[in-house]
């Protein structure tokens, strides 16, 4: 029996637990068909932005295993090879700021730094890459090990995108 996954914003968890899910997978088709380099998605609070971004992560991310099972029975899988060929094709950086909350600027920066470090933990496999230079791995490690200067943290996302592009030789989805 299915149940309502109130408060669940992780697409995989929702699907694995067999919670009710209103199929919004054609949003993936819209993203693929859009020729813009940047897509800004704005919606009110509690409107499903994080869940939709999570769905995109599981669809596109080439580093995840067995994501195809999550999309069985959803409309995107009936859209043809043009769309299903993108499943598991791109490297993805998934960053949500929904839990970054603070009452002052200094703590907000610390929360953002924590989110960036967690991103680096998620992509720590890059340290084993033979495609990256030692200096690039050192820069990565400084951020990962909380030894980065402020300027390094300001450029952390740009660095991660560049290293992932170099490793996977494909555009990176953020």
């Amino acid at each position: 029996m299915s149940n309502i996954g109130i408060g669940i914003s992780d697409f995989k968890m929702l699907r694995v637990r067999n919670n009710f899910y209103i199929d919004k997978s054609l949003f993936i088709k819209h993203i693929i068909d859009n020729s813009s380099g940047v897509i800004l998605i704005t919606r009110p609070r509690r409107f499903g932005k994080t869940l939709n971004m999570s769905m995109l992560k599981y669809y596109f991310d080439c580093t995840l295993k067995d994501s195809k099972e999550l999309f069985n029975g959803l409309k995107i899988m009936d859209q043809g090879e043009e769309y299903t060929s993108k499943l598991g094709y791109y490297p993805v950086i998934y960053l949500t700021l929904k839990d970054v909350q603070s009452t002052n600027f200094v703590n907000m920066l610390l929360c953002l730094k924590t989110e960036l470090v967690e991103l680096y933990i998620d992509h720590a496999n890059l340290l084993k890459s033979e495609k990256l230079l030692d200096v690039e791995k050192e820069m990565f490690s400084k951020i990962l090990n909380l030894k980065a200067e402020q300027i390094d943290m300001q450029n952390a996302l740009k660095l991660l995108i560049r290293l992932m592009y170099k490793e996977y030789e494909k555009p990176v989805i953020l």
Side-chain angles (χ1 to χ4, degrees), residues 30-159:
H30 173 74
I31 296 294
I32 293 170
D33 289 343
N34 192 313
S35 61
S36 301
V38 175
I39 301 171
L40 176 63
I41 299 166
T42 58
R43 297 286 185 270
R45 248 174 70 80
R46 311 277 310 153
F47 209 79
K49 294 180 299 293
T50 304
L51 179 58
N52 282 333
M53 295 304 107
S54 175
M55 175 184 65
L56 293 174
K57 172 186 77 168
Y58 286 107
Y59 192 82
F60 289 116
D61 199 335
C62 65
T63 66
L64 300 176
K65 304 288 185 246
D66 304 325
S67 284
K68 185 175 182 179
E69 295 173 10
L70 299 176
F71 294 90
N72 285 340
L74 298 183
K75 292 176 184 176
I76 189 63
M77 299 307 283
D78 299 330
Q79 301 306 303
E81 175 70 19
E82 177 183 0
Y83 301 99
T84 57
S85 65
K86 304 296 184 194
L87 190 135
Y89 185 77
Y90 296 101
V92 173
I93 297 172
Y94 176 73
L95 175 65
T96 178
L97 302 177
K98 74 178 187 82
D99 296 325
V100 176
Q101 299 175 12
S102 184
T103 56
N104 64 60
F105 184 71
V106 172
N107 287 342
M108 180 65 72
L109 287 177
L110 289 172
C111 289
L112 288 172
K113 187 174 184 178
T114 299
E115 291 296 323
L116 288 170
V117 169
E118 287 180 12
L119 270 180
Y120 273 63
I121 290 169
D122 290 345
H123 298 284
N125 63 304
L126 291 172
L127 290 171
K128 298 176 186 173
S129 173
E130 294 182 13
K131 296 178 182 178
L132 303 183
L133 301 173
D134 288 340
V135 68
E136 292 171 319
K137 292 178 186 179
E138 286 175 31
M139 292 167 63
F140 188 100
S141 292
K142 279 173 49 178
I143 294 167
L144 183 64
N145 297 314
L146 298 170
K147 296 185 179 183
E149 301 291 329
Q150 181 174 338
I151 190 69
D152 299 321
M153 293 308 296
Q154 288 173 314
N155 292 308
L157 211 47
K158 186 169 32 171
L159 174 66

Side-chain angles (χ1 to χ4, degrees), residues 152-167:
D152 299 321
M153 293 308 296
Q154 288 173 314
N155 292 308
L157 211 47
K158 186 169 32 171
L159 174 66
L160 185 57
I161 291 168
R162 187 169 53 79
L163 298 181
M164 289 178 71
Y165 179 78
K166 192 171 182 179
E167 173 67 15

